[in-house]
Amino acid sequence: MNSLPYPVLSTVIFLPVAGAVLLALISRRQEGLIKALALLFTLANFAASLPIFLNFDKTTANMQFVEWREWIPAFHTDYLLGIDGISALFVLLSALVCILCVLISWNAIKNKAKEFYMSILLIEGAMIGVFCSLDFLLFYVFWEAMLIPMYLLIGVWGGPNRLYASIKFFLYTLVGSVLMLVGIVYLYNYAGTFNILKLESLRYPLAMQMWLFWAFFAAFAVKVPMFPVHTWLPDAHTEAPTAGSVILAAVLIKMGAYGFLRFSIPMLPDASRAMALPMMVLSVIAIIYGAVVCLAQTDLKRLIAYSSVSHMGFVTLGIFALNIQGVEGGILQMLNHGVVTGALFLCIGIIYERTHTRQIADYGGVATALPIYAAFFMIFTLASIGLPGTNGFIGEFLIILGGFTANRLAGVFAATGIIIGAGYMLWLYQRVFFLDVNQKVKGLADISGRELLAILPMAALVFWIGVYPNAFLGFLQPSVANLLGRMQPGGATGLTAFTQFIRSVFA
Amino acid sequence: MNNTYLLIPALPLLAFIVNITLGRGFLKDKAYLVSIPALAASWALAMSAVYQVMHGRTFEGDLYTWVAAGGFKVSVGFLIDQLTAVMLVVVTTVGLLVNIYSVGYMHGDKGFYRFFAYLNLFVFSMLMLVMANNFLQLYFGWEAVGLCSYFLIGFWYEKKSASDAGKKAFIVNRFGDFGFGLGIMLIFLTFGSLQYGTVFQAVHGIAGRTVDILGHPVGLPTLIALLLFCGAMGKSAQFPLHVWLPDAMEGPTPVSALIHAATMVTAGVFMVSRCSPIFDLSPTAMAVVAVTGAFTALFAATIALTQNDIKRVIAYSTVSQLGYMFLACGVGAYGAGIFHLYTHGFFKALLFLGAGSVMHGMSGELDIRKMGGLKKFMPVTYWTFLLASISISGIPPFAGFFSKDEILWRAYSSGPLGKVLWAVAAFTAFLTAFYSFRLIFVAFHGKFRGTHEQQHHLHESPKSMTVPLLLLAIGAVAAGWVGIPSSIGDLLGLHMDKIGPFLGPVVGEPQGAGAPGAEMLLMGVSVLLGVLGILVAAYMYVWNPELPGLLARIFSWPYKVSLNKYYVDELYDRTIVRPTLWVANSIIVGITDGKWIEGIVNGVPAAIGRFGQSLRKIQTGVVQHYADMMALGLFVFVAVALVLFIK
């Protein structure tokens, strides 16, 4: 099943971890060497992940590059790795984003640089681990392992209000994760295994599915974040250093949606279908609510953070449309959002390093002062509002088409999000880049070569996915078809499932 | 795939890429050297494609699969038929002329290279729009021309009014595209394809099918057609989505000529004509299109009467003329609509470029009250402007006469509703002649009313600007001669009724109803109305110059309403913009996110904290208190145990 002669997934998980260990051994005074090594390890890891992209078999829904070792036999839990079309792209995205994060932090991080780059490398390993795990306990370990370096990134290198934001982030996610752990243990008691593939092959009683669905929902909805558990995101994004915001936006919040795809839908198909409508309703609320609230923001990062709530609403809408277009659009939009919002945070980091302000009112005329920078920001703005030719369009179109197919009203309401999206992004662009040059912007240097390197790959992806999305959709097709194949028609309707669930609560 | 067809849009795209990447550092004020050859080559290839079509060789083919997800599959591909051919002529010809004109007009602007880059991107996008063979690519071109429009309206982005106008254009269009996008999805869900060929072939199968909307059965063709028409209303600035086009005049004038007169704004008419098989199935949708068109034509003309900004008068005139085109589509005379689109492309581009020439000579002045007597300073501009104005006023044998008359005639002969629409359109023709000649008389005749400095600088524009004016003037005069109706042609022994039959294979030909005598009579009426409009304008602005002010005072209320464009902008501001911002600020940030959700998120830990704080108080450190508590605890324990035990 592994088409490569070496354990490629373990390599991409543990190479960054090894890098972090190596950094730990180096004196903190050798800052140049630390940065160079961090860059080297992230680059090496991206190079190591490329064979996955090149050797991936796009014709099968089976797990690929599978690795299996015994881990804790007493718990029947194994070190089991593998990826399919749903996870493959995110391994690559994680590896790419971490390079850009190192590049963008080059001059910005002066304090405790060693620990900073160690955190980035550790988070990279953990994130990739999450996407590769095929054992539920192993997954949970990676899932929680991700939290710690992220907590440090916000809490140590963040803005003035970083302590509040980091604790809020930690507690919010922990509350959700603990409920998921209860669910995992319950599943283990029932099935006697943590093996995700085996767990997926069983059909659980409906009431049990409903319980588990909401337990998982707690973890994944917080992570996405879905309305109404989204309020940690603006604080975390605003206070996090640029690299933290980028990782958060590009990869971390994708894990919630990934969780729905990897666990909720395949393991709990009946509950998923029964709960599809409420999930779509929450998604549509997130799309509109998140977009409208952007109009009230005065802080650059907070605005982009709220726009993430809206865009991730599209993702969950697509996923719970439970048809090919919706789910493929949803997964593609996860990638798109990672690229576009990640790039927007990179861009904000670039200007913040020069002005040290995030207030929109402090800007104006940036297009006059920094024309090349302005051009790139425009590209990502257009991708964010889903202009055809950019990646955002393909994702949003497929999602709205899928949503429209599943429920006409959901599609119609979701489409209004696109109007408001153009409103807040173009208004933001106008206030920051157009009009007269603000004193705080006057005389600033345009984007440097290093900064350009950090955003160029993202700009290339915007057009690559926009013009030839099949290069990416091709990965998804068999896995998504397989996923939806589990949704047997004729199951319980939403109402009967819900009554059964309520009965089981009092049973 | 024939490579020459691919090159038609590819060359402008290439020019865009070269200009946007190399323009700042290398090309600078030489950017036109990339742009003009590319557009000229594209024009030549387009003409050869048109020639092929005229000889019956249409083309349809896919380039590559763009998006494939499950059963959803869309390609990038081209369709070059008669309808596309007419658009190719307008887009590449006006595009090339405007490019040449801009070399002089934009000379010395610091964004010179950027301007040409955007023009190239626009021509590419517009060509993708008209050459598409499926709805999604149409949508791509549709949005991309909107993007170029946004860039070019806000070209001088330091100006707040310019960047506001660009943003407004984009967002208002998004309202229309909201419907357009849903219409496209509904087409896919209905036909399982977005390919024109597949959809239009299967279209008769949906006649009579209905869908339920909030309990009311609505015809499926009606629903699809009206959703598509939403997009057309945005792009072609039809009431109530017309508000962005007058503001779009903030952009450089060549842009107004190319994008906001000749090409992009006519995309709606093109799209409705392209989708004629769908519209034809729904009399309701057709009536909506016709009434919207006629109403907008009248509505915009009444605003144009009182505007003093030379470009805004022409902008409202554009809105009004687009209304005529939709009126034609709505009565089933798509060919007449496209014919008017084609002649309008020439005379309206000429009017805008003439206005630009005036601004060039007047150091950027826009207010016609500060002009006057320009005739002798700018003869070429004056005469070409005059020809365009005669053309738009519908005086034979100028281009506008033939196309407008075709529309009036088709409206009149299309049933009882058509008679009413004809009356509206004919009255609008009178208004059109009036406001067009008001411009001529106020700006070009009489005495110069500007400052001394302006008078000192006053000059005719350079050759690069006047030559395109002269070339367009040829079109403004003669473009209509491809559609001389047989009722006149027969008298003169000419057989020039070509355009209707040419477009026939794509959009069909309306059944000729009524006698040729009636057609001649209507023609006479509309010529009379046009002449009357010119005479009234002359009476008011040449012979009795104090009369307009007097009338404005007597009819002060209607005058103000027209001057303030019926207060539509103010209405949208109060009903849409401000309420949305209020919800964002006061409701979401203030209450739901701020108080409710954050109240729980921060409240639960705070409550736990408070509980801990109060629990701490019993840890007093006084031994007697602990002893008391122990005794109490023991008592309660024993009491409970006893109760349970006895039971």
Side-chain angles (χ1 to χ4, degrees), chain B residues 215-411:
Chain B
H216 300 282
V218 176
L220 186 57
T222 305
L223 186 60
I224 294 177
L226 288 180
L227 284 171
L228 293 177
F229 186 57
C230 283
M233 288 203 294
K235 193 64 70 196
S236 297
Q238 294 299 290
F239 181 86
L241 295 180
H242 64 285
V243 289
W244 66 271
L245 185 59
D247 286 19
M249 297 301 121
E250 289 287 341
T253 307
V255 171
S256 313
L258 175 61
I259 301 186
H260 304 122
T263 55
M264 183 189 84
V265 289
T266 62
V269 182
F270 165 78
M271 187 261 279
V272 171
S273 304
R274 176 58 85 207
C275 302
S276 58
I278 300 175
F279 281 84
D280 281 338
L281 290 179
S282 167
T284 317
M286 292 293 270
V288 170
V289 173
V291 170
T292 306
F295 176 76
T296 307
L298 177 65
F299 175 82
T302 57
I303 299 176
L305 296 178
T306 57
Q307 301 301 308
N308 291 314
D309 178 318
I310 185 169
K311 285 182 71 182
R312 287 198 179 234
V313 175
I314 310 176
Y316 278 107
S317 148
T318 305
V319 175
S320 176
Q321 297 298 311
L322 290 164
Y324 274 106
M325 299 175 208
F326 281 111
L327 167 60
C329 294
V331 297
Y334 304 98
I338 295 293
F339 184 27
H340 197 53
L341 182 164
Y342 165 76
T343 59
H344 176 259
F346 292 101
F347 63 70
K348 189 51 68 64
L350 177 55
L351 283 175
F352 269 120
L353 293 186
S357 178
V358 168
M359 286 167 67
H360 197 70
M362 292 274 301
S363 324
E365 184 61 63
L366 283 162
D367 193 334
I368 54 171
R369 288 168 301 187
K370 293 179 184 156
M371 298 174 185
L374 298 181
K375 184 168 83 166
K376 45 176 197 293
F377 301 99
M378 317 181 79
V380 182
T381 306
Y382 170 69
W383 285 107
T384 49
F385 204 93
L386 183 65
L387 292 178
S389 299
I390 299 174
S391 192
I392 196 177
S393 302
I395 307 296
F398 288 67
F401 165 75
F402 295 107
S403 54
K404 189 186 282 185
D405 237 69
E406 179 73 9
I407 294 174
L408 290 174
W409 164 238
R410 294 296 175 194

Side-chain angles (χ1 to χ4, degrees), chain B residues 28 42 110 126 179 205 212 245 315 327 400 417-418 445 471 529 590 623:
Chain B
K28 292 175 185 153
S42 175
K110 70 182 170 61
M126 192 70 203
D212 224 44
L245 185 59
L327 167 60
L417 178 63
H445 289 246
L471 292 174
L529 285 169
V623 180

Side-chain angles (χ1 to χ4, degrees), chain A residues 164 168 172 230-231 289 292 296 306 324-325 368 371 385 388 404 412 418 427 430 434-435 466-467 469-470 477, chain B residues 24 64-66 68-70 143 147 157-158 163-164 167 174 178 185 189 584-585 588 592-593 597-598 601-602:
Chain A
Y164 170 74
K168 193 174 184 181
Y172 236 119
H230 61 276
T231 58
Y289 187 96
V292 170
Y306 270 113
I324 286 264
Q325 285 86 20
T368 309
I385 63 181
F404 195 69
V412 171
I418 290 182
W427 192 28
Q430 180 190 27
F434 294 157
L435 312 177
V467 174
N470 283 345
Q477 194 89 34
Chain B
R24 164 178 301 281
Y64 74 95
T65 301
W66 182 18
E143 294 282 299
L147 175 71
Y157 54 77
E158 301 90 344
S163 58
D164 274 345
K167 187 180 64 181
R174 275 267 158 132
F178 166 76
M185 288 179 193
L189 293 181
N585 281 297
I588 297 189
T592 55
D593 251 32
I597 299 177
E598 285 293 83
V601 169
N602 294 321

Side-chain angles (χ1 to χ4, degrees), chain B residues 561-579:
Chain B
V561 169
S562 162
L563 190 66
N564 289 295
K565 310 137 200 165
Y566 295 86
Y567 300 97
V568 177
D569 279 323
E570 287 75 7
L571 180 75
Y572 288 170
D573 187 52
R574 301 231 168 110
T575 55
I576 298 173
V577 180
R578 285 196 215 170

